[in-house]
Amino acid sequence: MAGTTIKGFYMGTVLGMVMLSSMAASCAANFFQDIELTWGGDRGKIFNGGQLLSLSLDKFSGSGFQSKKQFLFGRIDMDIKLVSGNSAGTVTTFYLSSEGPNHDEIDFEFLGNISGDPCILHTNVFSQGQGNREQQFYLWFDPTRNFHKYSIVWKPQHIIFLVDNIPIRVFENEEAKGVPFPKEQAMRMYSSLWNADNWATRGGLVKTDWSKAPFTAYYRNFKATDLVSSSSSSNLFSGSKAQSNEIDANGRRRLRWAQKYFMIYNYCTDLKRFPQGLPPECKRSRF
């Protein structure tokens, strides 16, 4: 984990930086209008005139919601405050997904942990039902004390994962190498809070402490931004399409910083997992 030097470096250089170019056609969501609570009964709640949402997990059930509409390409942002205290065994998710056995999916998953230990941010990309492209990170802050912004930029050229507007991962379109890339299926935004103590914390060694239930995560400031207009999808966006949403030179430096100091697993370096050779998309990246 990063020490005092890295923390100071972050505070002194990251605040106020703009990694991505300006965008248009943004639409800040009202949860009453733009999402539906899909499971968990009254464990999912919407407050403050549609500006705040909570999901809870108890011994009997978790809860979840999804966007009412689908979209093809764009940027989604959500401010999330994760489960506080001892969250071992729980998983909070925020992701895009299409439907069916050959679905596409772009994942943020937050793996709970015992009090004082860092939360693990798990990312993955599925295309045509094929995943196994995991990268995992510690965060450089306590995600349970305040809201933080988590974003997915999904374009035909690449997918960018961001935390507080800092890029932590780029998955490029490598179809020329035979690597499937999600670009044909419209997706919804989903989120859930559920029990996964058979694997989520230390490989399932640490179980959920139900005496701490209910576990609750909070959401606000959901925003969807149209980056590529598409007549083939019914999307959440309005207005003109954005000009661009790319990583600039400062963004590339922040990406390298996040991956150097906070990445704890990368499938592209797991030679034991791929003894016959790493996946083709791992062999070169312009980032």
Side-chain angles (χ1 to χ4, degrees):
M1 285 293 292
T4 303
T5 300
I6 297 170
K7 182 177 179 181
F9 175 73
Y10 165 73
M11 293 300 294
T13 60
V14 172
L15 294 178
M17 289 176 56
V18 178
M19 266 62 66
L20 300 177
S21 58
S22 61
M23 297 169 295
S26 297
C27 180
N30 180 293
F31 286 122
F32 282 123
Q33 297 175 359
D34 294 317
I35 70 98
E36 53 187 356
L37 298 167
T38 49
W39 62 283
D42 61 2
R43 295 171 183 84
K45 295 181 173 66
I46 300 175
F47 307 91
N48 294 354
Q51 300 305 305
L52 182 67
L53 183 150
S54 68
L55 294 180
S56 291
L57 163 69
D58 57 34
K59 195 170 185 178
F60 301 100
S61 179
S63 50
F65 65 90
Q66 68 181 46
S67 61
K68 292 182 178 179
K69 296 182 180 180
Q70 298 176 313
F71 57 97
L72 184 64
F73 305 121
R75 170 172 173 152
I76 62 166
D77 302 278
M78 185 78 81
D79 292 355
I80 305 174
K81 183 179 179 183
L82 295 179
V83 174
S84 61
N86 184 352
S87 61
T90 71
V91 175
T92 305
T93 68
F94 170 58
Y95 63 102
L96 300 175
S97 183
S98 61
E99 299 177 356
N102 296 318
H103 76 293
D104 296 337
E105 188 171 322
I106 306 169
D107 289 342
F108 276 115
E109 294 185 336
F110 303 90
L111 312 185
N113 219 330
I114 59 176
S115 300
D117 284 359
C119 170
I120 293 176
L121 171 56
H122 177 98
T123 67
N124 204 352
V125 177
F126 288 75
S127 183
Q128 301 173 26
Q130 177 183 342
N132 300 319
R133 301 183 177 100
E134 303 93 343
Q135 289 183 359
Q136 294 183 338
F137 302 82
Y138 287 142
L139 296 170
W140 49 93
F141 51 83
D142 181 352
T144 72
R145 295 190 63 180
N146 297 294
F147 284 93
H148 291 270
K149 186 181 299 296
Y150 304 93
S151 309
I152 296 170
V153 172
W154 175 32
K155 299 186 71 178
Q157 301 92 336
H158 53 232
I159 297 163
I160 307 173
F161 296 78
L162 303 103
V163 176
D164 287 338
N165 278 328
I166 298 172
I168 64 168
R169 178 179 183 180
V170 178
F171 184 82
E172 298 184 77
N173 185 335
E174 298 282 8
E175 290 180 299
K177 298 180 180 180
V179 180
F181 186 86
K183 68 174 188 177
E184 303 294 339
Q185 303 183 66
M187 297 197 247
R188 297 183 194 274
M189 181 276 297
Y190 295 86
S191 189
S192 60
L193 173 57
W194 52 289
N195 179 47
D197 66 2
N198 61 323
W199 65 270
T201 305
R202 299 182 184 174
L205 295 177
V206 182
K207 301 299 183 182
T208 304
D209 182 355
W210 293 112
S211 70
K212 307 297 184 183
F215 305 96
T216 303
Y218 295 91
Y219 300 78
R220 70 182 186 188
N221 294 339
F222 170 52
K223 184 168 69 173
T225 305
D226 186 8
L227 303 180
V228 180
S229 296
S230 173
S231 60
S232 63
S233 68
S234 172
N235 61 59
L236 290 168
F237 312 117
S238 62
S240 61
K241 67 180 180 179
Q243 294 180 348
S244 64
N245 200 24
E246 303 291 341
I247 298 180
D248 62 13
N250 286 333
R252 287 191 292 273
R253 284 194 289 271
R254 297 300 93 218
L255 176 67
R256 291 191 292 269
W257 172 80
Q259 294 190 343
K260 179 178 180 180
Y261 293 110
F262 299 101
M263 180 185 286
I264 59 172
Y265 177 78
N266 182 3
Y267 78 108
C268 278
T269 61
D270 193 342
L271 296 175
K272 292 183 179 179
R273 182 177 176 186
F274 302 103
Q276 304 304 315
L278 295 172
E281 70 269 22
C282 297
K283 296 179 181 178
R284 183 192 65 84
S285 173
R286 60 193 178 93
F287 294 98

